[in-house]
Amino acid sequence: MAESAIGLRDFRFLWAGQAVSSVGDQLFTIAVSLRVIEAGGDAGDVGMVIGGRILATVLFALLGGVWADRVPRRRAMILADAFRLVAITAALAGRFDTGTLQLAALTFLVGSGEAFFRPAFGGLVPAIVPEERLLSANAWRGALDSGAAVVGPALAGVIVATAGTRWAFGINAATFLVSLVCVLLVTEPRRERPRSRSSVVAETKEGLAAVRRVRWVSAILVMTALQTMFVVAPHMVLLPVITQEKFAGPAAYGLVIAMFSLSGLVGTIVVGRIPLKRPGTSALVFNALFAAVPLVLLTPFSLWWVVGGYAVAGLAMMPFNVLLQTALQRQFPPALLGRVTSVDWLCSLALLPIGLAVVGPLADALGRTTVLVVAAVVQLGASAAVLAVPGMRAFHQDQEEPTAVGNTEVAEDGSRTSS
């Protein structure tokens, strides 16, 4: 069994900063939603404000990937944290909370910073963590995300109830400062730079082409996009509605989400400690188990039945994410990781707004049963279908030709030769 990545100084600083920042992200989401309601907004206003963050990430994800591959990843992350810190601080200093449009603009700015931070983070981790500890590193990252999903909303509720939304925004700004300081403490190894640069468009196409050449990656990203639209979106829309109708509301909803996050925390810890001979097969089995979500929403016999279904889904989906991120980091050379991370993230988000927009009307027109049955079929069917793609079971494809990056060729093993 490989040693834990948390024993590495640089990763420890990076992880600590993200642990604080991830809680801050949860604080921000809750606080901005509550602020809209405090100002007299309705559900549509909340959706528009939260949508600003998703819109920004979709618009700038690919550009963020190119940027992360052009400059030192550490520098990109520092600038992204500083940008978000300044945006929230400036909003606090002004009258940001006077309307929905101002809050939507704020969430758009925060999402823009995130679009540049995430690809850089995805490229920095394998630069400071040896390959044999990558699974451990991604498991630690998954654990902090799951933990933040439990701690963040609870902390946000306490802060907003006792001190108000402005304090929650202020604390969120402070978490970006903590993240920035932790990234400053990380030492990033020097990367070889191409002798000349292509245009942003050319480098974006280069990243997309690299993903297309690896068939298992292309297939898994298409699968993820479809499942986001047909499965994740119905879960996000229908879970609060069903818990309100069947189990008297917010407390039940909070319990279900908390159990999903807690079981995800357990799943990431376990998968980080168990070596898997066929990580792709294991990951897709985990992915298929998310079908428990539409199935329990289809048959909400009791609150504990729904909680149990979400516990199974969380226990499975977090390991899927850990295994996928580790495989991507091992499959692609360092010079492409920022762009590959951005493409992966874009595919996870791009169809979500469409799904969120159509779930309600489709449920009204066709019935919830139809929407949830389709969700279960898509989750199970897509997970099974992609198993036939070459390289999927091992989450690896040998590349017959080196991948060109600028004026440098990067072989499948990550070595470089001048072109």
Coordinates of all heavy atoms in Angstrom, one line a residue, residues 247 292 295-311:
F247 N -42.2 14.5 3.7 CA -41.5 14.4 5.0 C -41.4 15.8 5.7 O -40.6 16.0 6.5 CB -40.1 13.8 4.8 CG -40.1 12.6 4.0 CD1 -39.4 12.5 2.8 CD2 -40.8 11.5 4.4 CE1 -39.3 11.4 2.1 CE2 -40.8 10.3 3.6 CZ -40.1 10.3 2.5
A292 N -29.4 4.6 -7.5 CA -30.2 4.5 -6.2 C -30.9 5.8 -6.0 O -32.0 5.8 -5.4 CB -29.2 4.2 -5.0
L295 N -34.2 6.0 -8.0 CA -35.0 4.8 -7.6 C -35.7 5.1 -6.3 O -36.9 4.8 -6.1 CB -34.2 3.6 -7.5 CG -33.7 3.0 -8.9 CD1 -32.9 1.8 -8.7 CD2 -35.0 2.6 -9.8
V296 N -35.0 5.7 -5.3 CA -35.6 6.0 -4.0 C -36.5 7.2 -4.1 O -37.5 7.3 -3.4 CB -34.6 6.2 -2.9 CG1 -33.8 4.9 -2.7 CG2 -33.6 7.4 -3.2
L297 N -36.2 8.1 -5.0 CA -37.2 9.3 -5.2 C -38.4 8.8 -5.9 O -39.5 9.3 -5.7 CB -36.5 10.4 -6.0 CG -35.3 11.1 -5.4 CD1 -34.8 12.2 -6.3 CD2 -35.8 11.7 -4.1
L298 N -38.3 7.7 -6.7 CA -39.4 7.2 -7.4 C -40.3 6.4 -6.4 O -41.6 6.4 -6.6 CB -38.9 6.2 -8.5 CG -39.9 5.5 -9.4 CD1 -40.6 6.6 -10.3 CD2 -39.2 4.5 -10.3
T299 N -39.7 5.9 -5.3 CA -40.5 5.1 -4.3 C -40.2 5.6 -2.9 O -39.6 4.9 -2.1 CB -40.1 3.6 -4.4 OG1 -38.7 3.5 -4.2 CG2 -40.5 3.1 -5.8
P300 N -40.6 6.9 -2.6 CA -40.2 7.4 -1.3 C -41.1 6.9 -0.2 O -41.9 7.6 0.4 CB -40.5 8.9 -1.5 CG -41.5 9.0 -2.5 CD -41.3 7.8 -3.4
F301 N -40.9 5.6 0.1 CA -41.7 4.9 1.1 C -41.6 5.6 2.5 O -42.6 5.7 3.2 CB -41.3 3.4 1.2 CG -41.4 2.7 -0.1 CD1 -40.4 2.0 -0.6 CD2 -42.6 2.7 -0.7 CE1 -40.5 1.3 -1.8 CE2 -42.8 1.9 -1.9 CZ -41.7 1.3 -2.4
S302 N -40.4 5.9 2.8 CA -40.1 6.6 4.1 C -38.9 7.4 4.0 O -38.1 7.3 3.1 CB -39.9 5.5 5.2 OG -38.6 4.8 5.0
L303 N -38.7 8.3 5.0 CA -37.5 9.2 5.0 C -36.2 8.3 5.1 O -35.3 8.6 4.3 CB -37.6 10.1 6.2 CG -36.4 11.0 6.4 CD1 -36.1 11.9 5.1 CD2 -36.5 11.9 7.6
W304 N -36.2 7.3 5.9 CA -35.0 6.5 6.0 C -34.7 5.7 4.8 O -33.5 5.4 4.5 CB -35.1 5.6 7.3 CG -35.1 6.4 8.5 CD1 -36.1 6.6 9.4 CD2 -34.0 7.2 9.0 NE1 -35.7 7.5 10.4 CE2 -34.4 7.9 10.2 CE3 -32.7 7.4 8.6 CZ2 -33.6 8.7 10.9 CZ3 -31.9 8.2 9.3 CH2 -32.3 8.9 10.5
W305 N -35.7 5.3 4.0 CA -35.5 4.7 2.7 C -34.7 5.6 1.8 O -33.8 5.2 1.1 CB -36.8 4.3 2.1 CG -36.8 3.8 0.7 CD1 -37.3 4.5 -0.4 CD2 -36.3 2.6 0.2 NE1 -37.1 3.8 -1.5 CE2 -36.6 2.6 -1.2 CE3 -35.8 1.4 0.8 CZ2 -36.2 1.5 -2.0 CZ3 -35.4 0.4 -0.1 CH2 -35.6 0.4 -1.4
V306 N -35.2 6.9 1.7 CA -34.5 7.9 0.9 C -33.1 8.2 1.4 O -32.2 8.2 0.6 CB -35.4 9.2 0.8 CG1 -34.6 10.3 0.0 CG2 -36.7 8.9 0.2
V307 N -33.0 8.3 2.7 CA -31.6 8.5 3.3 C -30.7 7.4 2.9 O -29.5 7.6 2.6 CB -31.8 8.7 4.8 CG1 -30.4 8.6 5.5 CG2 -32.4 10.0 5.2
G308 N -31.2 6.2 3.0 CA -30.4 5.0 2.7 C -29.9 5.0 1.2 O -28.8 4.7 0.9
G309 N -30.9 5.4 0.4 CA -30.5 5.4 -1.1 C -29.4 6.4 -1.3 O -28.5 6.2 -2.1
Y310 N -29.5 7.6 -0.7 CA -28.5 8.6 -0.9 C -27.2 8.3 -0.3 O -26.1 8.7 -0.7 CB -29.1 10.0 -0.4 CG -29.8 10.8 -1.4 CD1 -31.1 10.5 -1.7 CD2 -29.2 11.8 -2.1 CE1 -31.8 11.2 -2.7 CE2 -29.8 12.5 -3.1 CZ -31.2 12.2 -3.4 OH -31.8 12.9 -4.4
A311 N -27.3 7.5 0.8 CA -26.0 7.0 1.4 C -25.3 6.1 0.5 O -24.1 6.2 0.3 CB -26.3 6.3 2.7

